Amino acid sequence: MAIPLATTGTATFDQIAIVTGLVGLLYVALAVLLWRERTGRVTLVGRLTDTIGRLDGVPRWAALTPYLHAISLLACAFGVWWDIAVHIARGRDTGPFGTPAHYPIFFGILGVIVSGVLPIALAGKPLPARTVKLTKGWRIPCSAALVTLCGTFALVGFPLDDVWHRMFGEDITLWGPTHLLMIGGVVFSIFARLLALAEVEQLLGLNKRRLFQEIVAVGALLIAWDLFSTEFDYGVPQFPLILHPILIAFGATLGFTVLRARRGPGTTFAALAVYLVIRGGIAWAVDQPLGGILGHFPLLVVEAVLVEAVAFALGTTSRFRLGAIAGALIGTVGVVAEYAWSQVWMPIPWPASILPAALGYGVVAGIGAGLVGAWLATRYAEVAGDERATGIRNARPVAVRRTHQLGAVGSAVVLGTVFFCVPRSADPGVSAAVSLERVATGAEPTAYVTVKLQPGDAAEEARWFEAMAWQGGGFLTHRMEKVAGGTYRSADPLPMYGRWKSMIRLHQGQRDLVSMWVYAPEDAGIGKPAVQVSDGQTVGFVDEQQVLRREERTDVPRWMWNGGYALLGVVGLLELAGIAWLVGRGARGGRLRAAHLGAGDREREIA
């Protein structure tokens, strides 16, 4: 069956030409750099890295990339939060460069790729003990290969995003497959940055500057992981609310465990400070100078305290014990703390009814994340040449396998928890008799919306029940306040004019998400008629995807949707496999080098 391609929200020829031209120029420049550096010719980039390398006391392949990678990550994070705010306020865009926010994302992704290619071009002795062989006489650090891999996956997401829009219509959701491909590639590149720091430590040891870079990298990991919660932070989640505490528990446990399992007291607080300053700065910049929407974010203070407390009480000799116990505490005490914080500042306060499920899933996700964080910390320690990395002398193979097994169990637990909680359902058995209390009339009418639900207890213990309006040049969300049994009124009036899309949203149980229209304009670009609820009309709640994701096509076969998401799953697994293999390869080299040095020391002692 032939499915006609959509044109709304897709790239025009000039935008495709711009993207292709910029990427082409970059790759030509990188090819020239690779050729000149590998043939011994002088380049401006080489001179710059030599200068920075002398100042920092690091090999030339490790000199420039930490700074370029940090700037690129900041650009991507700023661009994503800005872009989502633009979509919430104004609706769909017109292609890869349909909004200014796409530029920092695009150039940030290119920067991530360059930060991986530079050490490939500049690779030379001294190199870590384990490398990736490209040709005879040309070996590169594992971290360089990993950054390039992650950056390439992220860049591929840009053209695939346009293809996705043409096939399935505009996908205005953070968790769309191509969006996750771009965001995931950039986030995963942070693990490569931590690997690069461990490789340099293997050669030169640790100093304060490199410790600071590691703290910043973990702070960046906390910031980047919060990107996956952005819809919750802005107040327009399109997935069950239970995902929010799960994502917080996972991100906090993973980031803080990776750092504190290897470094001294107080380092988690330093990473927390990086997170709060930069994350808060981005939220302010999008809201104030750019006139966007204020993005809220989890505090993570209690989570940092918990990890420090566990490390103080139990030590860091057993990293997996530290990660598991810290994860369990973050999944309980940390989740309760974020529940309290949500009542103060988050756009959708967590209801008390969510706590039993949040604590249960939070513990599971926290322990799983703690095991993954401990696995990463152990591997990074081995890369760095830490003799106690496995806690067993000479790193016996059985001990290494045991840590791999624990890390795999942690990954499976977390992925299973997330994928179990992601699916949504929609109970079509809810309807409402609508009353409109007009506030403004004329060209820009607004009204308080009162709904009498049938059944009357449909909103009892709801995860959220709110009135929302978006994409009309701003964003409004108000709680539905109970005025009588089964009857609720919006706390403020909703707009019913122009490009605004006004609705009532209801989240029942763990995963049931339904909405009812109040107003929506005609949209000829996607063939949708205008919607205007009248006073006294009875309206049925429908699957929320039909309301929030109005631009998505409904004439595409289910197998095509499943194929698209399956492709994302394959790509994600490839990225995870790449991280595991390259980090593990670097760790094996560190173990062999540590064993070799240890044998040399023993021989000298005997002599």
Side-chain angles (χ1 to χ4, degrees), residues 302 329-342 350 355 358-359:
V302 171
L329 290 175
I330 287 175
T332 50
V333 179
V335 166
V336 172
E338 295 300 337
Y339 163 80
W341 176 243
S342 77
W350 299 353
L355 279 177
L359 293 174

Side-chain angles (χ1 to χ4, degrees), residues 357-511:
L359 293 174
Y361 289 119
V363 168
V364 174
I367 293 175
L371 295 178
V372 175
W375 182 86
L376 285 167
T378 300
R379 300 287 84 83
Y380 291 142
E382 290 173 343
V383 173
D386 186 350
E387 294 182 2
R388 72 166 191 92
T390 61
I392 299 178
R393 185 180 296 276
N394 295 330
R396 294 200 301 267
V398 65
V400 176
R401 284 197 298 270
R402 189 178 302 125
T403 63
H404 289 330
Q405 292 165 358
L406 290 172
V409 168
S411 299
V413 165
V414 171
L415 291 174
T417 302
V418 171
F419 284 112
F420 177 77
C421 295
V422 162
R424 298 156 294 189
S425 61
D427 183 0
V430 181
S431 62
V434 180
S435 299
L436 300 178
E437 181 184 338
R438 301 286 180 175
V439 176
T441 58
E444 298 184 352
T446 61
Y448 287 93
V449 181
T450 300
V451 295
K452 186 174 182 179
L453 298 177
Q454 182 61 40
D457 62 350
E460 296 296 330
E461 296 189 352
R463 297 284 169 89
W464 65 62
F465 187 37
E466 62 179 13
M468 191 186 90
W470 68 337
Q471 299 183 359
F475 174 64
L476 302 171
T477 180
H478 316 300
R479 294 186 186 183
M480 295 297 292
E481 299 176 339
K482 191 172 185 178
V483 296
T487 303
Y488 298 80
R489 180 177 184 267
S490 61
D492 288 293
L494 290 178
M496 293 183 290
Y497 62 89
R499 296 182 58 189
W500 284 102
K501 298 173 184 176
S502 300
M503 66 203 71
I504 307 296
R505 306 179 64 206
L506 174 61
H507 179 356
Q508 304 167 302
Q510 180 170 305
R511 64 184 66 194

